[in-house]
Amino acid sequence: MKSNSLKTALLHLLQGAMIGLGAVLPGISGGVLCVVFGIYKPVMELLSDPLHAFQKHMRMLIPVIIGGGLGFLGVSKILSFFLTRYEAPSVCLFVGLIGGMLPSLFREASQKGKSKGAYPALVIAFVVLLGLLLGLNAVSVTIAPNLGWNLFCGFCVALSIIAPGMSFSTLLMPLGLYTPFIEAIGNLDFTVLIPAGICALLTMLLLARAVNTLMDRYYAVVFHAIIGIVMAATLVIIPFSSFTASAAGCVLNLVCLAAGVAAALLLDRFNRKYAPEE
């Protein structure tokens, strides 16, 4: 029993680290990873009713929260380095990770049965977000970070947790705020982290109950809309121009894509094998 408990705790720690990692990485949503790992509902219950949910899911949530903090803070300096030096291969790895998670997302979306509005919701969400992101990318905007924009960064981080598929990088990158925010996290700049953290916490507490209600009532529709969001956000960040820059660069990008897909599929297989039953 102790061995199983330790294995489960380590699994949740790893999942938490991946969620924290996903919250920082471009194009990946921490909320999507919560869904993939089957811990989205307990997290939403924690945000909607902290005292009751923490007692109910304490064994799961403690290692997840610890792992999430480690993943969120620990990866920022490394991420900043790789995005600066090896931007295209790094993004291709992230795209592969997201692509490899799609089968598990579709499996999760069908967990509570089918709905007539599910696939229309997927298509509408895909088209709307793709149009929005392409429009933002077409407008070159650079904003100097300040207190107000730090609060906005926190709001976007909260959205990436409570609204699976909504990666905060897709909102911050077109505004030129993503790299300064990631650098602030890596350098533990509390003038940025404190206001962003307070805003993120307040946003999650205020919106969690509404999102939870939507998931309870329209699970299949909401989840397929989430998949549409994930697909659109992923398509936008693919560095297509880098594939034609050089043969060596194209091969490296393809290898990174394949590695990302393989890693995601292996992680999903590991999760299904060792995750405890609800």
Side-chain angles (χ1 to χ4, degrees):
M1 289 293 292
K2 286 185 177 180
S3 176
N4 288 337
S5 297
L6 179 60
K7 185 184 293 184
T8 300
L10 289 174
L11 173 64
H12 289 318
L13 186 70
L14 174 62
Q15 290 173 337
M18 290 296 294
I19 290 166
L21 186 68
V24 180
L25 295 178
I28 303 179
S29 162
V32 165
L33 293 176
C34 285
V35 172
V36 170
F37 297 144
I39 58 178
Y40 178 75
K41 187 161 184 167
V43 170
M44 294 303 292
E45 287 178 6
L46 175 67
L47 296 172
S48 302
D49 186 3
L51 293 177
H52 181 263
F54 190 76
Q55 291 176 349
K56 180 180 177 183
H57 302 294
M58 181 173 61
R59 288 187 177 181
M60 173 191 291
L61 291 172
I62 288 177
V64 167
I65 291 170
I66 293 173
L70 293 174
F72 189 78
L73 295 174
V75 75
S76 300
K77 275 188 176 293
I78 300 172
L79 177 62
S80 179
F81 171 81
F82 278 101
L83 281 174
T84 302
R85 299 287 184 89
Y86 311 103
E87 181 180 5
S90 299
V91 173
C92 285
L93 180 65
F94 305 151
V95 170
L97 283 168
I98 301 168
M101 289 176 183
L102 286 177
S104 63
L105 285 178
F106 275 103
R107 187 175 64 245
E108 184 74 25
S110 303
Q111 201 172 56
K112 295 186 179 180
K114 301 285 185 178
S115 171
K116 290 183 179 179
Y119 284 100
L122 186 155
V123 174
I124 292 169
F126 176 83
V127 171
V128 170
L129 188 66
L130 183 63
L132 176 63
L133 293 178
L134 290 177
L136 286 172
N137 286 342
V139 179
S140 180
V141 180
T142 302
I143 296 172
N146 56 31
L147 177 60
W149 287 113
N150 291 338
L151 293 171
F152 177 74
C153 289
F155 171 76
C156 293
V157 170
L159 282 185
S160 75
I161 299 296
I162 64 176
M166 183 57 70
S167 170
F168 77 85
S169 63
T170 61
L171 298 173
L172 299 186
M173 276 185 168
L175 300 175
L177 292 171
Y178 180 74
T179 300
F181 187 57
I182 291 300
E183 289 176 349
I185 295 171
N187 295 326
L188 292 179
D189 185 348
F190 290 104
T191 61
V192 174
L193 294 179
I194 290 176
I198 291 173
C199 187
L201 181 60
L202 289 175
T203 301
M204 286 189 286
L205 292 175
L206 290 172
L207 295 184
R209 192 177 295 275
V211 174
N212 217 14
T213 300
L214 281 175
M215 292 292 284
D216 286 339
R217 294 183 180 179
Y218 310 104
Y219 186 85
V221 173
V222 172
F223 222 110
H224 280 81
I226 287 168
I227 294 173
I229 291 171
V230 171
M231 293 170 67
T234 304
L235 185 63
V236 168
I237 67 170
I238 297 175
F240 290 106
S241 60
S242 66
F243 284 88
T244 58
S246 68
C250 180
V251 171
L252 179 59
N253 288 346
L254 290 173
V255 169
C256 289
L257 273 171
V261 171
L265 293 175
L266 285 172
L267 187 60
D268 178 48
R269 184 179 177 184
F270 177 82
N271 182 65
R272 282 189 287 161
K273 183 177 180 180
Y274 292 108
E277 296 293 332
E278 291 292 334

